[in-house]
Amino acid sequence: MYNGGMAGLTYWSPNVNIFRDPRWGRGQETPGEDPVLAGKYAANYVRGLQSPTGIRLKVAACCKHYTAYDLDNWNGVDRYHFNARVSKQDLADTYDVPFKSCVVEGKVASVMCSYNQVNGKPTCADPDLLKGTIRGQWGLSGYIVSDCDSVGVMYDTQHFTATPEESAAAAIKAGLDLDCGPFLAIHTDLAVRRGLLAEADVDLALANTITIQMRLGMFDGEPSAQPYGNLGPRDVCTPAHQQLALEAARQGIVLLKNSGSLPLSTARHRTVAVIGPNSDVTVTMIGNYAGVACGYTSPLQGISRYARTIHQAGCSDVACDTNKLFGAAEVAAHEADATVLVMGLDQSIEAEFRDRVGLLLPGRQQELVSRVARASRGPTVLVLMSGGPIDVSFAKNDPRVSAIIWAGYPGQAGGTAIADVLFGTTNPGGKLPMTWYPQDYVAKVPMTNMGMRPSRAYPGRTYRFYKGPVVFPFGHGLSYTSFKHSLALAPTDLSVLLDTNLFATKNYSTLSSNAIRVKHAKCHSLSSLFHIDVENTGNMDGTHTLLVFSTPPAGQKWSPNKQLIGFHRVHVIAGSKQRVKINIHACKHLSVVDEFGIRRIPMGSHSLHIGDLKHSISLQANLEGIKV
């Protein structure tokens, strides 16, 4: 794309914000609600894009939007005016985790600061966040960029300073290196002339941006002489790339419910009614921030490769504000051997600057599903396209809806992947990256409340802190086969070695509340290897994602209910088993964050949850062989 003059070499991606609220219009861009998952995704995404060779980069990635940015436009509050009030605890425990992983593990070239304020300061003008945390604590070797026009927003909308020059100076002095937009280009010169900003500050910002250009080879002569200089249009849309798009779609599909009707049979289900506003879509499948697809296979086209289809839209679009097409859909369902309803959302419902009001299917979609399920002669399968969760309790509880599939926005090959899962060519193995809440949850939770933990009438957020009813839990996902877990090697205790220098200065405060500060522990020696056997006890080969959660010792007031500490995807042939090795690191995985934002390792018995298995590991403080 670069060599063909169609793109640059810097990509402002990935979005690693936590999917905190199910209504968030941009949740579709993120890896989900869990900080550990988001952190692993962030680091791997960045490493994949940048593909560094020494200090050279293939392209420059950018982790965005730092930090506590997850509200676009809700109930009269928009991202340009929003002041996110965030505790030190939630910042360290949730919001900052994926960004730290981006910088420390992914070695990202760039971080983007967000539109919103955090605790009264615009993120792009907060020296504690930019110079202090991103560059200071985490050691960013690269540049910090504003979200587009956010320096202008800081002055024009948030009225952070009295003059535009003061906003320009505040941003650059805080550690901002590059402005997406014209604001710094217009106002920085006068800020320097008025003595609000030193020329040395501008030099530093330039050095940070030009260094990345150098690492991209932009000063090394003609592109054709460089490692990737001969890539061109012929390298786009290759069969291998198109196969990868299909494989990604297959892996991302989640089977939420199956009463035994799936997979469909080409022998028994020769005619399939394909119904719904998303049944024959193309562009809807690529969501937002997508490039130009190589070509599309819609769900209808995909299913047509397996069976004769009878197609009825049922609704003219996802808004589904009339039932005038329902009758034809019911007739189609009655005539077919099986019915597939492809429903859900699109960018008209959830998008950047468009948060959802509620979690139900839009308009009269629910009525269409129920009516078609009643009319259907064969099994009825509900397929959902969406970025965010949907309350489909009605379908979960309706015996006539025999299966539910979530496809997300599955990309150009989405229709093929959906059909492959429906007919069992692909055994689904996806897991939900976010909690699916009931509709009444959002009535108790203003989007403006950034707190993760429950308090009084506030139920808390995500599976880590919310204990109420759910439609489908985080990590949920069924298969056409069954898996059994067993522990082959599992340590039962771990000695936490402390830094002896602390005790030379009689600094015993590290043991307050029986939880040791991570920075006071010898972290390099604090990992344990777990060997877990995953057995496929069914009669179909399948891929299983092993999720490992931990629950800290009882009585830790800062702790989550449970938290994901590791995951591993493994393909297991029917009737066989595979051994998975998961390394659990006490400092990373068994620590919690206290109310002051300090990460600590609680001593005592930690519970590990591996599928249906439960295992305890006991942690004890140890000072040069003397247990404390």
Side-chain angles (χ1 to χ4, degrees), residues 286-602:
I286 61 174
N288 68 347
Y289 282 102
V292 179
C294 300
Y296 295 101
T297 304
S298 73
L300 175 64
Q301 290 171 320
I303 294 165
S304 297
R305 293 173 181 174
Y306 285 94
R308 187 174 76 82
T309 55
I310 310 169
H311 180 234
Q312 289 292 336
C315 308
S316 55
D317 54 32
V318 293
C320 198
D321 53 11
T322 173
N323 63 2
K324 67 181 180 185
L325 301 176
F326 287 13
E330 289 170 296
V331 170
H334 186 67
E335 289 176 354
D337 301 320
T339 298
V340 177
L341 285 144
V342 192
M343 312 297 287
L345 315 178
D346 65 14
Q347 302 305 303
S348 70
I349 304 290
E350 55 175 1
E352 184 168 1
F353 216 65
R354 185 178 289 127
D355 297 326
R356 282 191 285 162
V357 176
L359 303 181
L360 299 175
L361 282 168
R364 304 180 80 154
Q365 283 196 42
Q366 180 171 323
E367 182 190 342
L368 175 62
V369 173
S370 298
R371 280 178 55 171
V372 165
R374 275 198 300 274
S376 184
R377 188 159 53 84
T380 301
V381 181
L382 174 60
V383 176
L384 298 166
M385 272 191 211
S386 70
I390 305 170
D391 180 355
V392 286
S393 303
F394 80 97
K396 178 186 172 185
N397 299 327
D398 186 345
R400 286 169 298 218
V401 178
S402 52
I404 305 173
I405 285 171
W406 181 57
Y409 291 124
Q412 65 176 41
T416 303
I418 288 166
D420 289 348
V421 167
L422 289 171
F423 283 90
T425 308
T426 294
N427 188 351
K431 305 285 186 189
L432 285 183
M434 69 295 210
T435 303
W436 284 38
Y437 302 90
Q439 166 71 6
D440 63 3
Y441 170 81
V442 295
K444 305 168 195 164
V445 185
M447 274 193 84
T448 47
N449 189 327
M450 301 297 291
M452 299 302 296
R453 289 157 172 79
S455 61
R456 293 202 275 310
Y458 179 68
R461 296 183 179 277
T462 77
Y463 80 93
R464 294 168 71 221
F465 303 104
Y466 168 70
K467 291 182 176 174
V470 300
V471 182
F472 296 108
F474 171 87
H476 176 69
L478 306 174
S479 170
Y480 295 149
T481 188
S482 49
F483 297 96
K484 182 180 158 194
H485 308 98
S486 53
L487 288 171
L489 175 67
T492 54
D493 51 69
L494 182 63
S495 190
V496 179
L497 294 172
L498 300 178
D499 188 331
T500 51
N501 295 331
L502 295 167
F503 286 80
T505 57
K506 298 214 179 323
N507 185 354
Y508 293 96
S509 68
T510 188
L511 289 172
S512 68
S513 304
N514 201 25
I516 291 167
R517 282 188 179 208
V518 163
K519 70 177 185 181
H520 294 168
K522 293 188 174 177
C523 287
H524 63 275
S525 61
L526 291 182
S527 63
S528 288
L529 198 59
F530 284 71
H531 292 200
I532 302 148
D533 286 334
V534 180
E535 185 179 358
N536 184 337
T537 55
N539 54 14
M540 189 175 186
D541 298 355
T543 299
H544 180 59
T545 302
L546 183 75
L547 304 176
V548 181
F549 296 91
S550 78
T551 301
Q556 292 290 340
K557 60 186 175 186
W558 319 306
S559 304
N561 308 325
K562 64 174 184 176
Q563 57 188 9
L564 184 70
I565 59 175
F567 54 93
H568 189 85
R569 191 178 176 95
V570 60
H571 188 74
V572 192
I573 293 164
S576 72
K577 66 169 73 168
Q578 291 273 5
R579 180 158 295 179
V580 175
K581 296 175 184 177
I582 299 251
N583 199 30
I584 294 176
H585 196 286
C587 290
K588 276 187 189 174
H589 301 134
L590 302 180
S591 58
V592 297
V593 174
D594 70 15
E595 64 263 52
F596 304 107
I598 296 165
R599 191 166 282 280
R600 297 177 178 273
I601 310 166

Side-chain angles (χ1 to χ4, degrees), residues 1-7 9 223-224 228-233:
M1 299 296 284
Y2 176 72
N3 298 337
M6 300 297 289
L9 290 176
S224 57
Y228 303 109
N230 295 309
L231 291 170

Side-chain angles (χ1 to χ4, degrees), residues 4 9 23 58 91 101 129 164 215 221 241 262 338 377 430 449 483 498 539 555 591 601 609:
L9 290 176
R23 293 162 288 196
K58 180 192 275 188
L91 203 61
S101 180
L129 291 179
R215 292 177 64 194
H241 292 165
L262 289 183
R377 188 159 53 84
N449 189 327
F483 297 96
L498 300 178
N539 54 14
S591 58
I601 310 166
H609 313 267

